[in-house]
Amino acid sequence: MSKKTIYALFDDKEPLFIETVNYCFEMSKLSEIQILEDESLGTLEKIKRILIVLPESYIHIDWRKVYAGKDKFPAVYGEIKARIETDWHKTIELIEQRIEEGVIKPISIPVLKAIVQATFEQFWIVLN
């Protein structure tokens, strides 16, 4: 696609980047839905798979540049942070279910969430 075509759809880079971020996270969400609906998986396996679900397209993103660009494109950075920090309810439900069943030791969900988020953020930085 030519630059002219892209800029016919987007006024500048920031809305284009935000749309790209949204697309990547929607692909991740689709993977999560497939995992949740897979009746062949037990709850513990679903938790494991959801916590590591990253679409293949993430491999091609240079996350160092994303974080380096937070001053130049604050809305893009904000969208990424918001997406990472939200929409945990299904994962939390699965974890709470396993805790109630005695399969997982009781753990502070906010602490677990913070650990997973920080791990992903550091993983993305190191990976690229």
Side-chain angles (χ1 to χ4, degrees):
M1 185 179 290
S2 72
K3 281 186 183 180
K4 186 177 179 179
T5 303
I6 291 172
Y7 284 111
L9 300 171
F10 298 97
D11 294 336
D12 61 28
K13 291 178 184 177
E14 194 164 56
L16 171 64
F17 293 158
I18 290 173
E19 191 63 34
T20 303
V21 166
N22 288 331
Y23 173 79
C24 288
F25 278 96
E26 289 306 316
M27 292 300 97
S28 179
K29 188 53 57 187
L30 287 175
S31 296
E32 181 181 309
I33 290 168
Q34 289 174 339
I35 292 166
L36 290 170
E37 292 177 351
D38 188 341
E39 297 295 325
S40 70
L41 299 175
T43 310
L44 193 56
E45 186 62 27
K46 287 180 182 183
I47 293 169
K48 289 178 186 177
R49 290 186 185 197
I50 286 174
L51 290 177
I52 61 170
V53 67
L54 291 173
E56 286 187 29
S57 59
Y58 279 25
I59 295 169
H60 305 293
I61 296 172
D62 187 342
W63 291 99
R64 290 176 300 179
K65 290 181 182 176
V66 170
Y67 288 102
K70 70 180 178 181
D71 294 329
K72 188 173 182 179
F73 300 105
V76 176
Y77 182 78
E79 184 68 23
I80 291 169
K81 289 292 283 181
R83 292 292 209 134
I84 290 171
E85 294 171 359
T86 60
D87 210 13
W88 278 78
H89 62 279
K90 291 290 187 187
T91 305
I92 290 170
E93 285 177 15
L94 288 173
I95 293 169
E96 289 172 341
Q97 179 183 351
R98 295 309 277 180
I99 289 171
E100 288 175 19
E101 294 169 354
V103 175
I104 297 175
K105 291 182 181 180
I107 185 171
S108 167
I109 301 295
V111 171
L112 176 64
K113 182 180 167 192
I115 290 169
V116 172
Q117 286 174 204
T119 301
F120 280 144
E121 290 173 18
Q122 289 303 307
F123 176 73
W124 290 331
I125 291 169
V126 171
L127 183 64
N128 292 296

